[in-house]
Amino acid sequence: MPDPIPDLLDLRGDCAQCFGLCCVALPFARSADFALDKPAGLPCPNLRDDHRCGIHDGLRERGFSGCTVYDCFGAGQKVSQVTFGGQDRRTAPKEQARRMSEVFPVVRQLHELLWYLTEALGLPAARPVHPELRRALEKTERLTRQTPDELAALDVAAHRQEVNTHLLRASELVRAGAGGKGKAKGKDRRGADLAGARLKGADLRGASLRGACLIAADLTGADLRGADLIGADLRDADLTGADLTGAFFLTQPQLDAARGSAGTRLPGTVRRPAHWTAER
């Protein structure tokens, strides 16, 4: 029997089961998103001895908004509790602690793929490619359970390209039925530079916005039903009153980086960010 399809809830970070790996393994540079520079492998100065953030409740106010829009898709607890068997990085041998920092970004990418594959398997319109999607999911899950050395040597880019072939086909099938006959045709904005674009009230039903740059775009009241948003950069995009019902491959980090309101309609795979306005 094939393994059961993962629940999307299991593909979200559980900091209580992690050793603060994102606060150690990942680098960041002083910018509008981070108040200071930090190289990869060095613990953030705000990381406490209990692996919790010392300024968690005031990250935005203290200049660390980049932390508030990050999610590891459950990779932190997988690396902490499975890959390294619950070994605390602080008490682990130096070489093992270094390996944790190397492996975490790899598993994070694999878990992001698990998110997309799991969501695709829940899309009825993508049923013709469900067998291929399931095989890709099972392979990806097996890869996440490799040894630290195997994970460090994994060609993640090649695997992503392989998986993306199936995700693209799923996207085509779903978008073909979005917004009525012919609606998806001619709406391929994959990789488009739409930074600051005035798209208020735009009809983007069934559009492909894969990898599109939508930084600070005005999408107020836009119709994004059935749109493919994989990899779209939504930082500071205004989604107030927009309709994202049925939009797919949208992740929580993307949504957390955008602006919106109580009137923004969302797919069931994501939560409404707490910092969004209450205005309708």
Side-chain angles (χ1 to χ4, degrees), residues 84 89 92-103 148-149 152:
F84 290 93
R89 62 171 178 78
K94 186 175 181 180
E95 176 59 26
Q96 183 168 315
R98 183 184 66 81
R99 199 54 127 184
M100 285 184 184
S101 292
E102 292 178 349
V103 165
D149 287 346

Side-chain angles (χ1 to χ4, degrees), residues 23-84:
C23 305
V24 178
L26 305 180
F28 48 75
R30 185 188 296 272
S31 62
D33 296 321
F34 297 101
L36 48 81
D37 296 318
K38 187 193 84 65
L42 183 69
C44 173
N46 297 311
L47 185 63
R48 303 187 316 204
D49 290 340
D50 62 357
H51 309 300
R52 301 294 186 270
C53 176
I55 61 169
H56 184 269
D57 294 334
L59 283 167
R60 289 181 181 275
E61 295 75 15
R62 300 284 289 273
F64 289 87
S65 60
C67 297
T68 68
V69 299
Y70 178 82
D71 190 274
C72 70
F73 296 98
Q77 59 260 36
K78 172 70 73 65
V79 173
S80 296
Q81 303 301 331
V82 178
T83 311
F84 290 93

